[in-house]
Amino acid sequence: MRISLDSDLCIGAGQCALTAPNVFTQDDDGFGALLPGREDGAGDPLAREAARSCPVQAITVEDS
């Protein structure tokens, strides 16, 4: 799995960090960010749910 987060679309709702805290965090400005080394989702089944919960669809999950 490959996860990407479009920082231009992100509005800082925080749903990603709340849903999958092992994969996502929020930066100093409150916008979503992937944790370092978690671009592959780290096997976390909640990564897909975090993408679905994003109100602006800023997260993309692709199967590798």
Side-chain angles (χ1 to χ4, degrees):
M1 156 182 350
R2 180 93 178 136
I3 300 171
S4 59
L5 193 149
D6 187 335
S7 58
D8 291 332
L9 286 178
C10 181
I11 60 171
Q15 293 303 307
C16 56
L18 289 172
T19 304
N22 293 325
V23 179
F24 298 96
T25 188
Q26 287 183 282
D27 66 16
D28 292 338
D29 295 321
F31 294 101
L34 283 163
L35 288 168
R38 303 298 179 148
E39 295 83 7
D40 64 354
D44 192 333
L46 295 175
R48 289 184 193 279
E49 184 59 32
R52 285 190 288 272
S53 72
C54 179
V56 294
Q57 290 81 44
I59 302 168
T60 303
V61 177
E62 299 173 353
D63 291 318
S64 24

